[in-house]
Amino acid sequence: TFGAWMATLAPRRAGGPARVVAATADDSLVFTNVLFGDVWVASGQSNMEFTVAQSANAESAIATANDSTIREFKVPTSWANAPERDLAGGSWLPADPKHVGSFSAVAYFYARHLRPSVGVPIGIINTTWGGSNIQTWISRDAQHLDDSAWAGIQQGEANHDRAVRDSLRATLGSVLPEADSG
């Protein structure tokens, strides 16, 4: 069985698709349709989270999306007080009419413009979360926060979350489940 592992690949020529196999003496994982190229991180709040489906000329952009060498991985939104080892899901999706509508519009249109000139596959890691507080994107160390200041930011986020839940509950009634007391 596989536990935590890391692999380092020798430099590869951009392109694909390739088949990558990770194996132990008695088990293996096979990854198919793997591309090698550039990876860009699209991170930020609502302006970067804004999707292709919400953009001007969305219908045309979605209908003409036909470049499987542009792919996006949307990092699921989740809250943690410390770095987590694993993500709560997600998968790489190709820029095609079925999937591109959910891509970050800024990231997709940038990749679509850039890809012909660089001539390599482009992966987009979409770590956007609209309406999030900028301090929650920056490490405690980078902000030079002591225990009291860090606790204040965490409490502020908890208060904001509670206020949003209360507002939604007042609007939606019993449709919204009860939240924890944190």
Side-chain angles (χ1 to χ4, degrees):
T1 60
F2 288 90
W5 57 279
M6 181 173 67
T8 302
L9 302 175
R12 306 253 183 227
R13 181 179 303 272
R19 182 174 178 262
V20 177
V21 178
T24 66
D26 58 337
D27 202 0
S28 66
L29 290 172
V30 178
F31 302 93
T32 59
N33 198 16
V34 175
L35 299 178
F36 295 93
D38 291 345
V39 176
W40 292 83
V41 176
S43 188
Q45 298 171 315
S46 57
N47 59 340
M48 187 63 79
E49 186 178 45
F50 187 80
T51 66
V52 171
Q54 296 169 305
S55 67
N57 303 314
E59 189 174 307
S60 173
I62 292 168
T64 60
N66 190 27
D67 189 345
S68 65
T69 63
I70 297 174
R71 298 181 183 179
E72 184 185 80
F73 183 94
K74 174 64 171 127
V75 175
T77 54
S78 64
W79 175 262
N81 288 324
E84 293 185 338
R85 187 173 167 145
D86 295 313
L87 296 176
S91 62
W92 285 100
L93 300 174
D96 61 22
K98 180 178 178 183
H99 301 103
V100 80
S102 66
F103 282 27
S104 159
V106 171
Y108 170 68
F109 291 122
Y110 179 75
R112 189 179 77 174
H113 174 77
L114 180 65
R115 211 195 77 58
S117 64
V118 297
V120 301
I122 295 179
I124 302 162
I125 298 177
N126 180 343
T127 65
T128 59
W129 192 339
S132 57
N133 181 321
I134 191 63
Q135 285 83 2
T136 60
W137 289 89
I138 304 169
S139 74
R140 178 181 175 175
D141 290 340
Q143 295 179 73
H144 306 289
L145 298 175
D146 61 21
D147 290 344
S148 175
W150 184 246
I153 287 175
Q154 290 179 316
Q155 186 60 52
E157 284 300 304
N159 292 344
H160 174 72
D161 289 350
R162 192 168 13 285
V164 168
R165 283 192 305 264
D166 291 349
S167 174
L168 288 171
R169 194 169 288 108
T171 302
L172 300 174
S174 63
V175 174
L176 195 65
E178 286 297 318
D180 60 22
S181 60

